[in-house]
Amino acid sequence: MDYSTVKGRIFDIQRFSVHDGPGIRTIVFLKGCPLRCKWCCNPESQNRGIEEMTMNGKTKTVGRDVTAGEVIKEVERDYIYYKRSGGGLTLSGGESLMQPEFAEALLALAHQKGINTAMESTAFADFSVIEKILPHLDLYLMDIKHMNSDKHKAFTGQANDKILANAQRIARSPVKLIIRTPVVPTFNDTEAEIEAIAKFAGSLPGVEEMHLLPYHRIGSDKYKGLGREYALAHIEPPSQEKMNKLLEVVNRCGLRGQIGG
């Protein structure tokens, strides 16, 4: 199969990132997401369609159609930095699994070029979709936001049963799996809620790390730019003291915790 001709829709490519995987990375942001997390810092990623967003008085088009080959050419520009730092390509979004053929093509082409691959994902998809991507993936950065399905649905628009089931399946694959949890006040910032997630993460075969990602307001202005309301405008980010206490909870559960991803 000629992966280079597979088409998809992205809204950004970020070079020289030191987040979302080891080393220096290029992050490719794909359009479309089945969740509607109230704290989402990339609301322009949620709708698969091409949109207009106004920021600082300037209107820009969000979303463009590209081939996997075109994207990989840009990713390859920093090959020397990947090799020196242990970095590579990370797919983000949105949710990459909303464009499974395109995501598979990007990851497969990166592997063909000897580039390390990672994907930041909710794993909200049929496992048959995820299964096709796993052979081309070195690291799965999986968001687990809450263990209570009703509360998960209230804040994200979707129940969590499919996500938790897929976490168990992914953990049985050869791909390295790291669990990440956005810590959002009023949603999941109690010690009991984080402990429940950490215990589940610790039950997954081979999972050793859990990253706590503190809620922030970066991206809140984008909602206005898209003509949407930001639902959590009244929420303050968690304090460093709060994050440290939650980190202790994760570590007590036998995982190697860290703040930030």
Side-chain angles (χ1 to χ4, degrees), residues 4 21 41 69 98 142 163 168 174 207 222:
S4 65
C41 63
M98 291 282 285
M142 182 177 174
I163 292 169
Q168 293 172 324
V207 172
K222 295 178 181 179

Side-chain angles (χ1 to χ4, degrees), residues 27-71:
I27 306 177
V28 179
F29 294 86
L30 278 64
K31 266 277 214 172
C33 185
L35 274 62
R36 292 296 181 267
C37 300
K38 292 185 177 184
W39 61 88
C40 181
C41 63
N42 288 327
E44 75 274 30
S45 74
Q46 295 175 351
N47 190 333
R48 174 69 188 272
I50 295 175
E51 302 173 275
E52 298 293 319
M53 183 170 68
T54 302
M55 297 288 291
N56 301 317
K58 296 182 179 180
T59 299
K60 68 174 183 177
T61 300
V62 181
R64 59 188 174 101
D65 294 328
V66 292
T67 66
E70 290 170 339
V71 173

Side-chain angles (χ1 to χ4, degrees), residues 147 194-204 210 249-250 253 255:
M147 295 303 295
I194 294 300
E195 181 180 25
I197 299 171
K199 285 183 175 178
F200 175 77
S203 75
L204 300 173
M210 180 172 166
V249 171
V250 172
C253 290
L255 294 170

Side-chain angles (χ1 to χ4, degrees), residues 13 34 36 68 106 124 131 186 197 201 215:
I13 296 178
R36 292 296 181 267
L106 290 171
F124 188 87
E131 203 169 22
T186 73
I197 299 171
Y215 163 77

Side-chain angles (χ1 to χ4, degrees), residues 210-222:
M210 180 172 166
H211 300 171
L212 300 177
L213 313 178
Y215 163 77
H216 56 72
R217 289 173 173 164
I218 299 172
S220 59
D221 289 347
K222 295 178 181 179

